[in-house]
Amino acid sequence: MARAHDRYHRLPYGLDADEQLHLSQRTVALLKAAGYAVQHDPDFASHQVAFHDLTLGGQVANLARRIRDAEHSEDATAALTELVAPADGVLPATVEVLEAAAEFFAGLGADADPHHAARIRSLAEKIAVVTTEISAYRNALADRHTAHPLRPACIGVESTEREASVVCSCPPPSPPAPAVRRGR
């Protein structure tokens, strides 16, 4: 379900109390494993879950969703950090994968293998350069400390309101200005 400023999911009707508790605990554990901040009673999610339900590509695609939904530069910066972080970012890890693939090709012994290894190393170097450039943009965004003007946080609703966006009185964001076509 979607509301003015967020998305949410509800449990299906008809579940017994044990099923509701199990599904809710698993959801909290999965969200926390994926890196989301989840407010809950400390005893609620008592078990740890390895986050493997999404493919790596699905997890990376969630970074795009987080940036599209970001209301503040801090939110977008956090998602970009996961992409480019030197120790555990997606792109630096991709470079490692390509370097390992190049080593693998180099050791196979067929005539074309050294060429394949060199080409894969070249691709790894290009991704490393792109990572550096994206890191610079990420750092520039981190320095902004600003809310996105077209994605306002809900105002006019008490912070204690359980489902604030249902009663949110904020007007919807303005549509982008139409593109101006210039004559030839």
Side-chain angles (χ1 to χ4, degrees), residues 89-103 120-132:
V90 173
L91 291 177
T94 302
V95 170
E96 284 186 47
V97 169
L98 292 176
E99 289 170 348
E103 291 171 18
I120 292 172
R121 282 189 188 97
S122 173
L123 293 171
E125 290 171 9
K126 288 177 183 180
I127 292 173
V129 169
V130 167
T131 301
T132 300

Side-chain angles (χ1 to χ4, degrees), residues 36-56:
Y36 289 92
V38 180
Q39 295 178 352
H40 61 87
D41 183 287
D43 295 331
F44 187 70
S46 58
H47 61 284
Q48 295 289 354
V49 173
F51 192 67
H52 56 78
D53 288 355
L54 283 180
T55 63
L56 180 58

Side-chain angles (χ1 to χ4, degrees), residues 69-154:
D69 293 345
E71 293 176 357
H72 196 278
S73 59
E74 291 175 1
D75 302 323
T77 298
L80 284 173
T81 299
E82 292 185 41
L83 190 66
V84 298
D88 61 356
V90 173
L91 291 177
T94 302
V95 170
E96 284 186 47
V97 169
L98 292 176
E99 289 170 348
E103 291 171 18
F104 186 84
F105 263 107
L108 288 177
D111 290 342
D113 292 339
H115 171 72
H116 295 319
R119 182 67 184 133
I120 292 172
R121 282 189 188 97
S122 173
L123 293 171
E125 290 171 9
K126 288 177 183 180
I127 292 173
V129 169
V130 167
T131 301
T132 300
E133 188 171 349
I134 294 170
S135 293
Y137 287 117
R138 178 247 169 248
N139 293 340
L141 185 60
D143 291 340
R144 297 288 295 272
H145 304 287
T146 187
H148 194 289
L150 299 178
R151 300 177 190 172
C154 187

Side-chain angles (χ1 to χ4, degrees), residues 1 5 32 35 49 59 68 76 79 95 124 146 155 165 174 183-184:
M1 301 180 123
H5 298 293
K32 289 175 67 177
V49 173
Q59 293 176 53
R68 285 187 188 102
V95 170
T146 187
I155 56 173
S165 61
S174 303
R184 292 183 190 182

